[in-house]
Amino acid sequence: FMVGKGMAQFEEVMRQQLESSMDTEMDKLLNTATGADREVCRKDFAGFKNLFHRFLQVKGPSVEWIKIQRPPEDSIQPYDKISARGLPNNVANSLNKLVVVKLNGGLGTSMGCKGPKSLISVRNENTFLDLTVQQIEHLNKTYNTDVPLVLMNSFNTDEDTKKILQKYTHHRVKIHTFNQSRYPRINKESLLPVAKNLSMTGQSADGWYPPGHGDIYASFYNSGLLDQLITQGKEYIFVSNIDNLGATVDLNILHHLVSQPNGKRCEFVMEVTDKTRADVKGGTLIQYEGKLRLLEIAQVPKAHVDEFKSVSKFKIFNTNNLWISLPAIKRLQEQNAMDMEIIVNPKTLDGGLNVIQLETAVGAAIKCFDNALGINVPRSRFLPVKTTSDLLLVMSNLYSLDAGSLTMSPKREFPTTPHVKLGSSFTKVQEYLTRFESIPDMLELDHLTVSGDVTFGKNVSLKGTVIIIANHGDRIDIPAGSMLENKIVSGNLRILDH
């Protein structure tokens, strides 16, 4: 027992020394800041120190598997039940209490693009941001309302995004932005910051990162925008990833929130949808110590990962479409009561240095809010574009575009999207675009796999299961006007112009 006690004391001393060293380093960094920058950094660093303190306290996994329970029946409502109530005559009253927030901190690097991901063209020359603005403008015109758009940028996306916002000055949407915090990457060995100064260029640029979308609560509050919107009578934000093209404002969910009696008003709604085999890594909702809670794969003990991925035990996953009460965010921020699990994200910098990033996820705060609810929405509300395979789907005739919203074509006989896997020759958007003279007809497609050096001529039509494999050194050109139905094409196929 004494040994155990001595060990605990030793660990506590080590923890205190680490915190003290971290405080010293952070103060040194802060002293290199000037003017308005200094105040922003001070707030950011206070948030980081709090996260670092919690990181040092954490012992073992954040959930005990044995305590996990399925959520009670009424804590995840089917969307049909919510929409069956119908809409009131005064939809505008509810809309005027809403703010749309898009998470816009990500770069397009995974798709081979420079700059913010939201500026990639996804449909008829429209970018993710264009489509978002069109959707909200359509709402404001239809119902004569004033729903603003708020973009949470990161230091990676802020400058480029602000430049582009000038083109929307004559649209009927007020657009606000605020910046995510800037946190220091930590050396994995010493647990001290890598950066030597606040510069975002040269040597120190690698030393900083935006700490995940869980940072929305603190940075929104710190920016002053949260208070400003509450003063204007706004009550709820609808938060989603800017690359989820299914995340449009849903009037039924909004009405459900606004029409609850005040004492029982729901402060947090997470839209979830049924898991398919493609979604095994998505976070899910559980009941834990009497609260609804988000369980992410990173929190699952290794021995239970297969169980977590099973479609039968955990049937739904988080779409990251969230509806959150503004006054509740303010209250929890002021009480310092936002409690989100820490995600430790290991990275290797270009020079080979191993670092860790401490991050949090916006949905993890669900357990802090009163009367939180999951709503099981149709799959169509989850249409993320993470890869060029996703991009091919949304550019195709599977979807029609109306006022910025994509809807599945009524000509498709079944509501599920085809499974598309494009090989590494298609990873970068620029290269992907050169491989299609026009986007194939995919209305009757179930599955498409393409691997190797493959190009598609104009007006190709794909049906059923199509697999096209060009072996190394070979090339396959699918001729213009081809119709491939349940076909496997492999080898070499060059179409020569005569």
Side-chain angles (χ1 to χ4, degrees):
F1 169 73
M2 285 310 289
V3 172
K5 199 171 176 188
M7 194 64 196
Q9 281 174 337
F10 172 72
E11 285 178 352
E12 186 49 40
V13 169
M14 288 299 291
R15 258 208 303 274
Q16 285 172 359
Q17 281 183 351
L18 269 169
E19 289 217 24
S20 162
S21 306
M22 178 60 84
D23 283 352
T24 307
E25 292 299 314
M26 296 302 285
D27 287 345
K28 278 187 202 163
L29 285 167
L30 191 56
N31 288 335
T32 64
T34 50
D37 257 7
R38 188 181 168 86
E39 186 50 23
V40 172
C41 287
R42 195 187 60 72
K43 285 180 176 171
D44 283 0
F45 289 5
F48 171 75
K49 285 180 189 177
N50 180 25
L51 202 57
F52 185 70
H53 171 76
R54 284 177 43 222
F55 163 69
L56 293 179
Q57 301 287 341
V58 170
K59 276 271 175 281
S62 56
V63 291
E64 289 179 51
W65 199 253
I66 197 127
K67 288 190 187 172
I68 289 178
Q69 295 173 302
R70 285 197 174 178
E73 282 298 305
D74 59 346
S75 65
I76 299 181
Q77 299 270 350
Y79 178 78
D80 293 351
K81 188 176 165 190
I82 302 281
S83 60
R85 298 175 58 184
L87 290 173
N89 296 330
N90 57 349
V91 170
N93 286 0
S94 304
L95 277 170
N96 280 326
K97 293 174 180 168
L98 183 70
V99 177
V100 175
V101 180
K102 293 285 181 184
L103 304 173
N104 184 45
L107 294 168
T109 38
S110 63
M111 291 164 78
C113 296
K114 282 190 163 62
K117 185 171 181 184
S118 55
L119 307 185
I120 295 175
S121 286
V122 274
R123 182 82 188 219
N124 311 356
E125 303 298 304
N126 287 302
T127 64
F128 290 105
L129 189 55
D130 292 335
L131 295 177
T132 302
V133 170
Q134 286 167 27
Q135 287 163 20
I136 302 174
E137 181 173 48
H138 178 67
L139 273 179
N140 285 336
K141 284 180 171 169
T142 307
Y143 296 101
N144 192 24
T145 50
D146 180 22
V147 177
L149 169 63
V150 172
L151 299 172
M152 176 165 91
N153 297 338
S154 66
F155 58 76
N156 290 318
T157 61
D158 189 52
E159 204 177 315
D160 290 343
T161 301
K162 280 184 174 156
K163 275 183 204 153
I164 224 85
L165 289 182
Q166 292 162 9
K167 79 178 206 185
Y168 305 116
T169 39
H170 300 300
H171 287 64
R172 191 170 160 174
V173 184
K174 289 193 184 109
I175 305 179
H176 308 273
T177 66
F178 68 94
N179 261 12
Q180 249 178 295
S181 306
R182 176 168 92 144
Y183 282 7
R185 285 183 168 142
I186 316 170
N187 182 318
K188 196 177 172 186
E189 301 305 317
S190 67
L191 293 185
L192 291 174
V194 177
K196 295 289 170 254
N197 57 48
L198 291 170
S199 166
M200 294 304 299
T201 53
Q203 289 271 287
S204 271
D206 263 356
W208 304 97
Y209 71 99
H213 42 54
D215 181 56
I216 183 171
Y217 305 109
S219 49
F220 197 10
Y221 177 79
N222 288 340
S223 71
L225 189 55
L226 180 81
D227 279 337
Q228 189 184 323
L229 293 165
I230 290 174
T231 308
Q232 291 169 14
K234 305 299 181 191
E235 288 179 22
Y236 282 95
I237 52 173
F238 170 49
V239 182
S240 62
N241 299 350
I242 199 151
D243 65 7
N244 177 7
L245 294 175
T248 56
V249 170
D250 186 282
L251 297 174
N252 291 308
I253 297 177
L254 178 63
H255 174 54
H256 178 78
L257 284 173
V258 173
S259 63
Q260 298 293 303
N262 248 340
K264 289 297 279 175
R265 201 163 260 198
C266 168
E267 294 183 340
F268 194 109
V269 160
M270 176 179 287
E271 292 185 36
V272 296
T273 194
D274 291 341
K275 239 188 206 185
T276 66
R277 301 244 172 258
D279 315 305
V280 290
K281 290 183 178 170
T284 192
L285 282 178
I286 55 170
Q287 179 86 351
Y288 193 84
E289 295 177 341
K291 285 274 200 179
L292 205 54
R293 183 158 160 179
L294 178 67
L295 177 67
E296 298 275 11
I297 195 162
Q299 296 160 270
V300 177
K302 290 230 176 357
H304 296 283
V305 166
D306 286 346
E307 202 180 332
F308 174 81
K309 287 181 172 180
S310 98
V311 181
S312 55
K313 178 159 182 174
F314 299 104
K315 293 186 164 60
I316 48 108
F317 73 97
N318 166 28
T319 62
N320 224 32
N321 300 347
L322 308 168
W323 303 73
I324 313 171
S325 153
L326 280 167
I329 296 176
K330 182 177 164 74
R331 179 188 80 230
L332 289 165
Q333 273 303 120
E334 287 176 349
Q335 293 170 353
N336 199 12
M338 279 290 181
D339 174 27
M340 291 168 281
E341 288 75 31
I342 295 171
I343 300 161
V344 180
N345 188 353
K347 296 255 178 196
T348 304
L349 300 184
D350 284 347
L353 182 68
N354 289 325
V355 296
I356 53 175
Q357 300 182 176
L358 303 181
E359 303 178 4
T360 54
V362 56
I366 187 169
K367 62 175 189 269
C368 309
F369 290 85
D370 293 341
N371 306 316
L373 183 67
I375 296 181
N376 192 341
V377 296
R379 179 74 187 199
S380 56
R381 291 192 55 73
F382 184 65
L383 187 59
V385 180
K386 303 284 181 200
T387 62
T388 49
S389 302
D390 300 331
L391 195 56
L392 182 63
L393 291 172
V394 300
M395 290 176 100
S396 76
N397 61 345
L398 285 164
Y399 292 96
S400 51
L401 183 62
D402 179 30
S405 298
L406 289 179
T407 43
M408 178 75 77
S409 164
K411 291 182 187 155
R412 180 156 174 95
E413 287 182 9
F414 23 89
T416 55
T417 47
H419 195 65
V420 173
K421 286 197 293 199
L422 299 177
S424 55
S425 309
F426 290 80
T427 306
K428 296 185 171 176
V429 174
Q430 291 324 108
E431 195 173 355
Y432 151 89
L433 290 171
T434 63
R435 292 183 174 276
F436 292 97
E437 275 195 56
S438 68
I439 302 295
D441 172 343
M442 292 164 50
L443 278 175
E444 293 176 47
L445 180 70
D446 300 321
H447 180 113
L448 173 67
T449 295
V450 184
S451 175
D453 186 0
V454 178
T455 62
F456 292 79
K458 276 203 169 95
N459 305 328
V460 171
S461 162
L462 305 170
K463 300 181 180 187
T465 295
V466 179
I467 297 171
I468 306 168
I469 296 176
N471 296 325
H472 187 67
D474 289 345
R475 175 168 154 189
I476 296 178
D477 295 326
I478 303 297
S482 307
M483 200 278 282
L484 303 180
E485 181 168 10
N486 296 326
K487 281 266 190 299
I488 296 179
V489 183
S490 67
N492 208 358
L493 178 66
R494 299 293 299 270
I495 309 299
L496 301 170
D497 291 331
H498 291 296

